[in-house]
Amino acid sequence: MTRTISTPPVIDGVGVNRLTADDDLFLKLHSLYGNALVNQLAWRFDEALDPELLTRFHAHLAEGFLARRVQPVRVPFARPYWLPATESLPLVWDSAPVADDEMLDWYFAQSRVDFDPTTGQVWRLSAAPTTTGGTLVSLVTSHVASDGGAVLFAVGDALARLDERPDFAAGSGQLVGTEPRNPLSANLIDAGRQLRAVAKGIRAAIATRGVVEPERNLRPELPLLPLPNRWSPADPVVQLDLTEWNAAATRHSGTTNGLLIALGAGILGRSGRVGDTAGIRVDIPHSMRTSGDPRANATTGLPISVTYRAGERIDLAAVRSAVKRAATAYRDPATTPALQHLQPLQMVLPRFVLRHFARTAKAPECLCTNLGETASGVADFAGHHASAVLMRPVVCTNDTDMFRRVEVGVNLSFSTDGHTVTLAVTGADPDRFPSRAALRELLSTEFESWGLTPSFW
């Protein structure tokens, strides 16, 4: 749950695709916590899909960019690398039709899956019919092997090749990487590179030790609601008109992205998680993926501080200025916080050290992801157009006290097809968002303050 900055892809002359610091961090967190967090790309179709179509889609995914496994190395300080997967989880087709009021529960249930990065079992495709004659489809992926950009790339490539024979070498799978001709020599060279990167990172961290990031707020200990020992975060999904969204942003001197950030901060404030005039730390993921990029994770993050004032809307002009300042600062290594320079060191730390830090690590209090107009590129399945496309991180069911200990807050994920906004909201503070209904009520009040008309799933 720690924010990291991806390093550029390091692929040597024989096609070895080494794990980046992001990949390494998610792999270590997976070893500690399992599938506490997964990504989900989901579709709603108003018509029935032929299971054979989904079988072909699954076959292409199994030969594509997601089909990768971690190859460990024995040379100290050398990084593991990606190889084509040796296994994939089978397509799951639920025969029981899903009613409209059961849809969110069905989507959430797909997060209950055990992934294995060492074999390549890092994604699962599932589908179910609806009681109204439609089809629900879900693709759940491990963050170890893919971020949102990687999933969209893999899915887009698979959909474009549905009429072709699945071929790892012809599609996006060719970017995954290959075994070096001389593994020992390649790993020794990489170990030397890593040691140099550690030394360089330590020097840069010392030089930037005075650079600070916005601070997060301490989670209030009270109230402490009587909840079960295991709890599932509140996860409503809402659709809004994009024209109305943009008009509201313009009316208040802001941007599409700024309104998303304001909604997240406003919900957190309305919940009582922070007090009046509090500066809320908002983390904003930003894709660094380029054409032909082989990285599993290629996302950086910008932290900003947003002031919450009870009874008032968030100042969108101030949000815009804060985002610009953060983007400028993070383009210059001299103004990048020291911790971010230490990523090469993070990769060589032994697991017991990571476990010590993990016990005190905190999750973002407000995370706002703007995926832009991504839905339109993955909405068509061989002539069948999805009536809605949802992309979101799923915070899985876990110990209630764990959510309190890591002080996780609220998470918003925005995507659009150019006409409709689909907003996925996850409230993972059990005492502020104890149920989907409670979070929905807060959302409705916040939307009303901006003149927005929501339609909840």
Side-chain angles (χ1 to χ4, degrees):
M1 294 183 181
T2 303
R3 186 185 62 80
T4 61
I5 297 177
S6 292
T7 55
V10 179
I11 300 183
D12 62 26
V14 292
V16 179
N17 185 10
R18 301 279 175 178
L19 270 67
T20 65
D22 289 343
D23 303 341
D24 176 76
L25 177 61
F26 284 120
L27 179 63
K28 287 173 178 172
L29 290 175
H30 180 272
S31 70
L32 292 174
Y33 297 115
N35 301 318
L37 175 73
V38 297
N39 289 324
Q40 182 176 52
L41 180 58
W43 298 262
R44 285 171 56 187
F45 291 92
D46 293 334
E47 68 268 31
L49 295 188
D50 189 334
E52 190 274 334
L53 171 61
L54 291 177
T55 299
R56 281 191 284 133
F57 180 46
H58 181 278
H60 279 281
L61 291 176
E63 299 290 339
F65 196 68
L66 299 181
R68 58 177 65 203
R69 62 182 175 88
V70 175
Q71 177 61 46
V73 296
R74 294 183 178 180
V75 175
F77 308 119
R79 292 167 297 171
Y81 50 91
W82 295 108
L83 288 178
T86 56
E87 300 178 23
S88 63
L89 294 169
L91 169 66
V92 176
W93 183 270
D94 287 345
S95 57
V98 180
D100 283 350
D101 61 356
E102 300 171 334
M103 185 168 50
L104 283 180
D105 290 334
W106 184 85
Y107 281 131
F108 184 79
Q110 306 317 303
S111 68
R112 300 188 184 103
V113 55
D114 290 326
F115 288 132
D116 184 358
T118 62
T119 64
Q121 292 183 326
V122 290
W123 58 275
R124 184 177 71 170
L125 183 68
S126 52
T130 67
T131 55
T132 56
T135 308
L136 304 181
V137 180
S138 165
L139 175 63
V140 172
T141 55
S142 167
H143 219 322
V144 176
S146 58
D147 60 11
V151 173
L152 290 169
F153 173 61
V155 168
D157 182 70
L159 291 176
R161 298 175 183 276
L162 284 177
D163 293 332
E164 303 174 11
R165 181 177 62 86
D167 184 352
F168 199 88
S172 59
Q174 63 184 296
L175 295 173
V176 170
T178 60
E179 184 81 51
R181 296 189 190 92
N182 187 332
L184 178 59
S185 175
N187 292 333
L188 285 171
I189 291 171
D190 188 69
R193 289 173 176 165
Q194 280 300 96
L195 289 174
R196 289 192 293 273
V198 169
K200 181 180 178 181
I202 291 174
R203 289 195 299 271
I206 293 172
T208 59
R209 60 189 180 278
V211 178
V212 296
E213 293 185 339
E215 293 185 0
R216 65 192 316 285
N217 295 281
L218 292 175
R219 180 184 182 275
E221 295 184 2
L222 298 176
L224 199 64
L225 301 182
L227 296 169
N229 293 333
R230 301 275 291 177
W231 180 74
S232 298
D235 62 341
V237 175
V238 60
Q239 291 186 304
L240 305 103
D241 181 76
L242 179 60
T243 301
E244 184 182 71
W245 179 288
N246 287 336
T250 301
R251 190 164 56 248
H252 296 285
S253 305
T255 63
T256 298
N257 192 54
L259 181 54
L260 170 66
I261 294 167
L263 289 170
I267 294 164
L268 198 71
R270 290 182 187 277
S271 73
R273 170 69 178 258
V274 298
D276 190 19
T277 72
I280 297 173
R281 173 171 168 147
V282 180
D283 287 279
I284 310 165
H286 176 66
S287 177
M288 303 294 287
R289 192 165 296 279
T290 58
S291 177
D293 197 325
R295 287 176 290 182
N297 289 278
T299 304
T300 186
L302 301 178
I304 65 171
S305 181
V306 176
T307 302
Y308 171 75
R309 293 182 175 87
E312 299 181 17
R313 288 183 293 267
I314 301 296
D315 186 340
L316 294 191
V319 170
R320 174 187 281 185
S321 297
V323 172
K324 286 184 177 179
R325 288 194 302 272
T328 299
Y330 269 66
R331 282 195 292 266
D332 185 354
T335 52
T336 299
L339 186 61
Q340 306 310 319
H341 294 291
L342 295 176
Q343 288 187 329
L345 178 61
Q346 164 214 306
M347 295 188 72
V348 302
L349 289 176
R351 187 154 300 176
F352 76 87
V353 176
L354 179 70
R355 190 179 296 273
H356 169 74
F357 286 119
R359 284 198 296 266
T360 58
K362 303 299 181 184
E365 62 179 343
C366 186
L367 181 68
C368 294
T369 305
N370 185 349
L371 296 163
E373 198 170 329
T374 57
S376 58
V378 294
D380 289 295
F381 277 54
H384 299 277
H385 187 77
S387 58
V389 179
L390 167 69
M391 192 167 191
R392 63 177 182 176
V394 179
V395 184
C396 303
T397 303
N398 214 312
D399 296 337
T400 308
D401 285 341
M402 186 278 292
F403 288 110
R404 291 168 174 151
R405 184 177 67 253
V406 302
E407 301 185 4
V408 62
V410 67
N411 181 323
L412 281 75
S413 182
F414 170 107
S415 64
T416 178
D417 60 3
H419 304 284
T420 302
V421 171
T422 300
L423 188 65
V425 185
T426 301
D429 183 326
D431 302 303
R432 273 83 198 170
F433 314 108
S435 66
R436 192 180 291 153
L439 179 50
R440 177 172 170 167
E441 184 176 346
L442 288 170
L443 280 167
S444 297
T445 304
E446 184 67 20
F447 287 137
E448 184 179 1
S449 74
W450 292 96
L452 296 173
T453 307
S455 174
F456 288 93
W457 285 21

